Amino acid sequence: MYKVISAAQGTEMSYFQTMSALATKNADGVAERKLKESSLLEEHRHVSIYYSENFSEFVPSTIETLDLAIAKNEEIFGQFDEVPIDLMVFDDKEQFMDFSGLTDVEGAYSDFDKVLAIHYSDEPLMDERDKSEFQKLLLHEYNHYAFNRKSQDQAAYPMWFIEGVAEYAAVDPDDVYFPNFESIPFSDLNSPEQWQAAREVPTADAYLQSYYALEFLTSTLGQGVIKEIMESVDETRDFEESLKIVTGLETDELDRDYLNVYLK
């Protein structure tokens, strides 16, 4: 989740900027190295999984979820370079927050550091709901990794599209409830700052709204529309132009149409 947080000087920073800043303050990676040295390690394909002993019984299901994530993202994007990545699993919320610099999320991805960090419940056994949420979280965050492998310019995309694709990759459509939220204009969900502001609107749900937008586009035009838009953006360097070329829709038209199929 590309969260936005406040830097010490009072400015807003994206997660990537924050992680880069943390890396700069700790150029030799001491904190990350200590975490790795105190963790167990499981290697799976291009992913190095670092975890505590308490998480050991969930490693097999985590590997299954990674395989599912890889398969799902290959369906969405086609083949992509499997650049090595670290999956850091935290059973301690405070440790996760210290590592990521984030306070209101359970997962985060930094393409700068090629690190995917996830917090899971530190109860002796996660119940089925917890395991389901953990799987969804891992699928969501892994999609950010895959998205970065396929996109030539991450900055060209609005937040609603980045997060919408991640939710589309992570969510089981059967688990999505009927839309009942305040819809925010997609033009107000472009920047990290706008995204964070939308997340603070109690009657809105920026993630769910973005999911429904992607569900609308893919159900109308096919799943390949995601890849087509991204390939077009590689050429135009303009998301709005590419959205119009590929889907025939402008953003305000998407505002108007994306929930129609659910409200009939």
Side-chain angles (χ1 to χ4, degrees):
M1 301 175 183
Y2 299 125
K3 312 319 310 174
V4 179
I5 65 173
S6 296
Q9 62 269 39
T11 59
E12 294 288 322
M13 297 177 68
S14 72
Y15 176 68
F16 300 111
Q17 292 169 321
T18 303
M19 290 297 286
S20 298
L22 289 173
T24 301
K25 293 177 183 177
N26 186 31
D28 58 356
V30 172
E32 184 176 339
R33 187 164 62 250
K34 284 184 176 180
L35 281 170
K36 289 180 176 179
E37 289 173 351
S38 64
S39 300
L40 299 175
L41 171 64
E42 181 79 24
E43 301 277 2
H44 182 65
R45 295 182 63 160
H46 55 290
V47 185
S48 298
I49 309 168
Y50 293 90
Y51 60 97
S52 68
E53 187 173 352
N54 291 339
F55 189 78
S56 296
E57 65 181 293
F58 303 115
V59 171
S61 60
T62 298
I63 289 174
E64 289 179 6
T65 300
L66 283 171
D67 285 337
L68 176 61
I70 293 167
K72 278 195 167 192
N73 283 284
E74 285 180 347
E75 288 179 6
I76 295 171
F77 300 125
Q79 294 292 319
F80 54 90
D81 293 334
E82 293 186 349
V83 177
I85 181 177
D86 292 332
L87 168 57
M88 311 286 290
V89 182
F90 296 84
D91 57 11
D92 184 288
K93 180 68 171 181
E94 292 295 327
Q95 191 179 42
F96 168 78
M97 291 191 297
D98 288 343
F99 181 81
S100 68
L102 306 174
T103 59
D104 62 344
V105 298
E106 299 297 320
Y109 173 64
S110 167
D111 198 60
F112 180 87
D113 296 305
K114 301 297 183 295
V115 171
L116 196 164
I118 290 182
H119 169 252
Y120 84 101
S121 171
D122 58 359
E123 295 296 321
L125 288 174
M126 290 193 291
D127 61 25
E128 288 304 314
R129 175 181 171 83
D130 288 336
K131 283 188 276 190
S132 175
E133 288 301 312
F134 180 85
Q135 181 184 66
K136 177 185 172 184
L137 188 59
L138 182 51
L139 290 170
H140 179 110
E141 299 302 339
Y142 187 90
N143 176 265
H144 286 320
Y145 160 83
F147 192 105
N148 273 273
R149 306 283 69 73
K150 295 299 290 186
S151 64
Q152 293 184 8
D153 181 11
Q154 182 79 14
Y157 297 90
M159 291 295 294
W160 71 261
F161 186 78
I162 294 171
E163 295 294 349
V165 173
E167 286 292 278
Y168 176 79
V171 170
D172 181 342
D174 293 334
D175 293 337
V176 178
Y177 54 82
F178 186 82
N180 183 23
F181 52 80
E182 176 185 347
S183 187
I184 295 175
F186 287 107
S187 59
D188 291 338
L189 294 174
N190 285 331
S191 70
E193 293 79 11
Q194 289 176 318
W195 185 262
Q196 181 65 14
R199 290 187 67 243
E200 295 171 0
V201 177
T203 54
D205 190 327
Y207 288 102
L208 191 58
Q209 176 178 335
S210 299
Y211 165 80
Y212 275 117
L214 266 294
E215 181 65 23
F216 167 75
L217 292 174
T218 55
S219 63
T220 304
L221 300 169
Q223 183 172 262
V225 70
I226 297 172
K227 185 179 177 182
E228 290 178 36
I229 290 172
M230 294 181 71
E231 289 175 344
S232 178
V233 171
D234 288 342
E235 296 179 2
T236 67
R237 303 295 177 180
D238 186 314
F239 177 83
E240 296 295 332
E241 180 181 346
S242 290
L243 181 69
K244 180 67 173 179
I245 290 171
V246 176
T247 70
L249 294 170
E250 296 183 352
T251 302
D252 60 344
E253 294 173 312
L254 185 62
D255 285 326
R256 180 195 66 204
D257 295 342
Y258 83 105
L259 285 180
N260 284 352
V261 67
Y262 306 103
L263 300 179
K264 289 179 180 179

